C-alpha cells in the first residue's frame, strides 16, 4: 500500500490503520489537553512535589534490567530530586507507556515528561521544551560491511525503513532535498510497527538502510556492531528534550535552571558520555518554545 510516497510493510497494513487512528486520537488528546488546567511552580510548591512521567522501554534513556530501572534518566532523576529538595519540594515519578505519556502530561495529570522526547512542530503547539539534553539528528544505519552505502547519492533509489508515526517522518523531506541536490530521488520507504522489526529486515536484506535518531543509532551499533554500522546524517540538527506544558512557564524556568546547574558542574556531559557514547557541548542552552525558533536551531530554514 502506497500513500504520498510512503509504503507500509504489507504485514502491518491492518495495524498501520489502527495505529494511525490511535495517533490521531493521541493528537486530539494533546490538543484538548492544552486547554485544561495545569500546575505551575506555585502549585507544585504548595502541594509539596513535582510529578514527572517517565517510561521504562526506551534504552538508553529509560529501561529495565533484571527488574530494576536503568539508563540516563534513572541516574539524572536523583540529581533532579536533589535540586528540587533545595527548592523545598519532592519529585514523584510515575512510569507510563510511551503511547499515553505525552497525552497524560498535556491533560495535567503530570507536571512534565522526563524522557527522551524529540522536539517536533506538532509537540511545540502543546508544549515548551526545556534546553535539549541530547542531539536527535537523524542518521542512517546499514548492514555492517556494506560498502555500497556511504554518501547521500549512494542512498538514492534504495529501500529505507523507519517507524510508523515517528517524529522522523516529518523530517524526511530534508533527505529528499539532499538527494535532489545530488541529482537523484528517494526510493521506497517502508513504515514498521517498531524499530526492532525494521532492523530485522535490514539484517536479512529486505531493506537497504534504516533511519533513526542519533542516540538510538549509537546504542544499536554499541550493542550490535557485528551486524549494523552507522552511516551519515540525513537531516539537520534535532533535539531530545523534556516537554513542559505551555501553561507552566515558571516550571519551565525551574527546569532550565536545573539544566544550567548540571551543565555547569559537568554532570550532564558525564552522563551523556556514559549513556549516549558522546557529549553534546553545542546543544542550545535556552528552552525551545516555538516552531520558528526550532526551525532556526535545526537549520530547517
Amino acid at each position: 500500500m502506497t500513500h504520498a510516497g510512503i509504503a507500509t510493510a504489507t504485514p502491518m497494513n491492518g495495524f498501520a490503520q489502527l495505529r494511525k487512528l490511535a495517533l490521531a486520537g493521541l493528537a486530539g488528546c494533546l490538543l484538548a489537553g492544552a486547554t485544561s488546567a495545569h500546575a505551575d511552580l506555585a502549585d507544585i510548591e504548595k502541594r509539596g512535589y513535582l510529578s514527572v512521567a517517565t517510561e521504562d522501554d526506551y534504552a538508553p534513556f529509560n529501561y529495565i534490567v533484571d527488574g530494576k530501572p536503568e539508563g540516563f534518566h534513572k541516574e539524572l532523576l536523583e540529581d533532579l530530586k536533589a535540586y528540587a529538595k533545595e527548592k523545598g519540594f519532592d519529585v514523584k515519578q510515575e512510569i507510563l507507556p510511551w503511547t499515553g505519556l505525552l497525552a497524560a502530561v498535556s491533560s495535567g495529570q503530570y507536571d512534565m515528561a522526563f524522557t527522551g522526547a524529540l522536539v517536533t512542530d506538532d509537540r511545540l503547539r502543546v508544549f515548551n521544551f526545556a534546553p535539549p539534553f541530547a542531539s536527535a539528528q537523524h542518521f542512517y544505519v546499514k548492514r555492517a560491511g556494506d560498502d555500497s552505502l556511504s554518501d547521500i547519492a549512494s542512498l538514492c533509489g534504495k529501500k529505507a525503513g523507519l517507524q510508523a508515526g515517528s517524529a522522523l517522518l516529518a523530517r524526511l523531506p530534508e533527505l529528499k532535498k539532499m538527494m535532489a541536490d545530488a541529482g537523484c530521488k528517494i526510493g521506497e520507504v517502508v513504515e514498521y510497527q517498531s524499530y526492532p522489526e525494521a532492523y530485522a529486515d535490514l539484517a536479512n536484506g529486505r531493506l537497504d538502510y534504516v533511519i533513526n535518531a542519533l542516540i538510538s543509532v549509537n546504542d544499536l551499533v554499541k550493542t550490535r556492531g557485528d551486524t549494523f554500522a552507522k552511516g551519515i546524517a540525513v537531516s539537520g540538527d534535532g533535539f531530545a528534550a523534556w516537554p513542559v506544558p505551555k501553561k507552566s512557564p515558571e516550571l519551565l524556568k525551574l527546569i532550565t535552571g536545573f539544566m544550567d546547574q548540571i551543565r555547569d558542574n559537568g554532570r550532564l556531559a558525564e552522563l551523556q558520555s556514559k549513556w549516549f557514547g558522546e557529549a553534546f557541548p553545542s546543544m542550545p542552552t535556552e528552552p525551545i518554545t516555538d516552531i520558528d525558533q526550532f526551525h532556526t536551531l535545526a537549520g530547517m530554514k
Side-chain angles (χ1 to χ4, degrees), residues 58-268:
Y58 191 17
F61 298 102
N62 321 69
Y63 62 107
I64 301 296
V65 177
D66 297 327
K68 297 181 180 179
E70 193 55 276
F72 174 82
H73 282 99
K74 180 260 183 181
E75 292 204 46
L76 201 54
L77 183 63
E78 297 307 312
D79 295 77
L80 180 60
K81 287 179 177 179
Y83 184 79
K85 187 175 182 180
E86 293 176 357
K87 306 297 181 183
F89 54 89
D90 297 325
V91 176
K92 291 188 177 182
Q93 174 196 23
E94 186 75 26
I95 297 175
L96 303 176
W98 168 250
T99 50
L101 193 151
L102 292 186
V105 175
S106 73
S107 67
Q109 296 178 58
Y110 304 95
D111 299 318
M112 64 174 287
F114 197 63
T115 189
L118 273 60
V119 180
T120 69
D121 290 5
D122 285 343
R123 291 170 186 170
L124 278 167
R125 294 184 177 97
V126 180
F127 300 104
N128 292 321
F129 283 82
F133 58 81
S135 169
Q137 189 171 23
H138 304 172
F139 282 71
Y140 81 82
V141 179
K142 64 180 181 177
R143 287 182 293 278
D146 183 359
D147 296 329
S148 69
L149 300 184
S150 55
D151 58 7
I152 294 296
S154 68
L155 302 178
C156 294
K158 301 294 176 64
K159 193 173 183 180
L162 41 67
Q163 187 171 12
S166 68
L168 288 89
L169 278 169
R171 304 284 298 269
L172 204 56
E174 293 174 65
L175 176 56
K176 293 179 180 178
K177 184 180 184 303
M178 292 179 188
M179 290 181 172
D181 292 343
C184 57
K185 294 182 179 180
I186 197 167
E188 182 181 5
V189 178
V190 184
E191 296 182 31
Y192 287 82
Q193 175 186 351
S194 67
Y195 270 105
E197 292 172 277
Y199 292 140
D201 272 5
L202 176 60
N204 63 33
R206 293 194 182 98
L207 293 175
D208 296 303
Y209 65 99
V210 170
I211 299 172
N212 205 344
L214 174 61
I215 302 303
S216 298
V217 170
N218 284 350
D219 190 62
L220 175 73
V221 174
K222 177 182 177 181
T223 57
R224 300 186 63 188
D226 58 333
T227 305
F228 302 109
K230 180 181 177 180
I232 63 173
V234 293
S235 78
D237 287 337
F239 310 105
W242 304 314
V244 177
K246 284 193 176 293
K247 291 191 175 182
S248 303
E250 295 304 316
L251 174 58
L252 181 65
K253 289 181 182 178
L254 176 88
I255 299 302
T256 299
F258 171 64
M259 283 292 296
D260 290 341
Q261 181 184 89
I262 60 174
R263 186 188 309 108
D264 293 345
N265 67 18
R267 177 64 167 166
L268 180 61

Side-chain angles (χ1 to χ4, degrees), residues 39-50 87-89 254:
D40 205 355
L41 186 57
D43 305 292
I44 292 166
E45 291 172 336
K46 183 177 180 180
R47 86 159 89 98
Y49 66 88
L50 166 70
K87 306 297 181 183
F89 54 89
L254 176 88

